[in-house]
Amino acid sequence: MAQAPKTAGNLRGIALMAAGMFLFSAVDAMGKFLTDTMHPVQIVWFRQLGLLFGVLVLIALRGPSFLRSSNPKLQIGRGLLAACSATLFIVGVSYVPLADAVAISFVAPFMVTVMGALILREPVGVRRWVAVTIGFVGTLIVIRPGMGLMHPAAGLVIIAATAFALRQILSRVLAGVDNTQTTVAYTAIVSWVLLCIPFPFVWQAPATTFEIWLLIAMAVIAAFAETLVIVALSLTQAVVVAPVQYSLIIWGTLYGFFIFGQLPDAWTWIGTVIIVATGLYTLNRERAITRMK
């Protein structure tokens, strides 16, 4: 009976993470669509604006007390990483097919394993190191560096994935000292303020009413997705909900096909299968080790 609350929390966390991934895929597709007429910084600025608006509403209703953080430096760092990862991904995806960019971005779980070992001093066995190595090989198959088949902007997607992995590490640390509202607030405020610095230099008025509504929809959906992911991580351990992130490949492929008419080639599928298989194995090992503690 003692396991029932934990199991219920895990199921809620998985459901919230799945919903968040579906919404993030929609945001990525909207962002890629808008890159034809807008600067990536402007797109990400609107993306973060929705999250900021939600925080301002929360402040109006409850006051600013929840902005107190036990570790403001880490919170500010997470906001910086949010701005960097989102901007770099949008820049990358403006040149790289959406499904390919999503596949490349799944170097992030391997980065989490490496960073967990180096930063959090988490034990990583030989089998997990082998899985991480094979996963990186899968990423190289997708990118095929030196063959001229993938745009160099794919490197920006890798950097964005690294920044996202660092965000996950910070989320894991902050979940033990700050509540979800505090983390959401710092992420929204810090990332938006940072993006305001280059924003005046890249601003371009939307050309159509459709673009205006698309920017608004992207802002609202991104805010909701970010909140769902943070709540999911607060309900259960990262190793439980992390496999759900691979659903992004499904949604990214569908959006890429139906909106942009793009499908991954055979080598990209092979690399993606390797990435997913080794990623799931790594996460399963982490879950097994967590259960033994």
Side-chain angles (χ1 to χ4, degrees):
M1 295 298 292
Q3 294 294 322
K6 181 178 179 180
T7 301
N10 287 346
L11 291 176
R12 287 194 297 270
I14 290 170
L16 291 174
M17 180 65 79
M21 294 302 101
F22 174 77
L23 295 179
F24 270 132
S25 293
V27 171
D28 290 341
M30 293 177 189
K32 180 175 176 62
F33 183 86
L34 289 167
T35 55
D36 287 340
T37 56
M38 292 184 183
H39 194 281
V41 170
Q42 182 176 350
I43 295 171
V44 180
W45 187 88
F46 275 99
R47 187 181 187 272
Q48 297 303 108
L49 182 62
L51 185 57
L52 177 67
F53 179 77
V55 170
L56 293 177
V57 171
L58 196 59
I59 292 175
L61 294 174
R62 300 189 178 182
S65 60
F66 69 91
L67 293 176
R68 298 192 190 95
S69 170
S70 300
N71 200 326
K73 290 182 179 180
L74 285 185
Q75 292 285 10
I76 292 172
R78 190 181 189 279
L80 172 62
L81 291 170
C84 291
S85 63
T87 302
L88 290 172
F89 183 84
I90 292 297
V91 174
V93 85
S94 65
Y95 298 99
V96 178
L98 184 59
D100 291 5
V102 172
I104 295 168
S105 70
F106 275 103
V107 71
F110 306 120
M111 293 287 190
V112 170
T113 299
V114 174
M115 293 175 186
L118 298 177
I119 299 174
L120 302 181
R121 303 298 181 185
E122 296 177 343
V124 178
V126 174
R127 283 181 288 185
R128 279 200 289 166
W129 281 122
V130 171
V132 167
T133 302
I134 296 174
F136 280 118
V137 171
T139 305
L140 292 176
I141 291 175
V142 174
I143 301 173
R144 281 158 283 173
M147 298 182 66
L149 300 176
M150 185 71 70
H151 194 282
L156 296 178
V157 179
I158 294 178
I159 299 174
T162 303
F164 182 78
L166 278 170
R167 283 179 59 193
Q168 287 186 298
I169 293 295
L170 292 184
S171 296
R172 190 181 300 180
V173 175
L174 290 167
V177 296
D178 287 338
N179 60 42
T180 301
Q181 294 174 352
T182 302
T183 300
V184 171
Y186 270 86
T187 298
I189 296 171
V190 173
S191 61
W192 186 78
V193 168
L194 288 172
L195 290 166
C196 281
I197 298 174
F199 182 77
F201 302 100
V202 301
W203 165 256
Q204 181 178 346
T208 64
T209 303
F210 176 72
E211 287 184 353
I212 295 174
W213 282 111
L214 196 60
L215 285 170
I216 294 173
M218 183 178 64
V220 173
I221 294 172
F224 193 38
E226 178 78 18
T227 303
L228 287 176
V229 170
I230 293 177
V231 173
L233 289 171
S234 69
L235 286 175
T236 188
Q237 295 177 330
V239 294
V240 175
V241 296
V244 182
Q245 296 177 34
Y246 287 101
S247 63
L248 280 171
I249 292 178
I250 299 173
W251 307 125
T253 301
L254 291 175
Y255 280 122
F257 176 69
F258 287 110
I259 299 178
F260 307 105
Q262 300 171 336
L263 278 175
D265 61 19
W267 284 108
T268 299
W269 280 118
I270 292 171
T272 300
V273 169
I274 293 173
I275 293 169
V276 172
T278 53
L280 291 175
Y281 174 80
T282 301
L283 293 169
N284 184 63
R285 290 294 302 165
E286 290 182 0
R287 185 186 296 115
I289 292 172
T290 300
R291 288 175 178 173
M292 293 172 61
K293 293 181 179 178

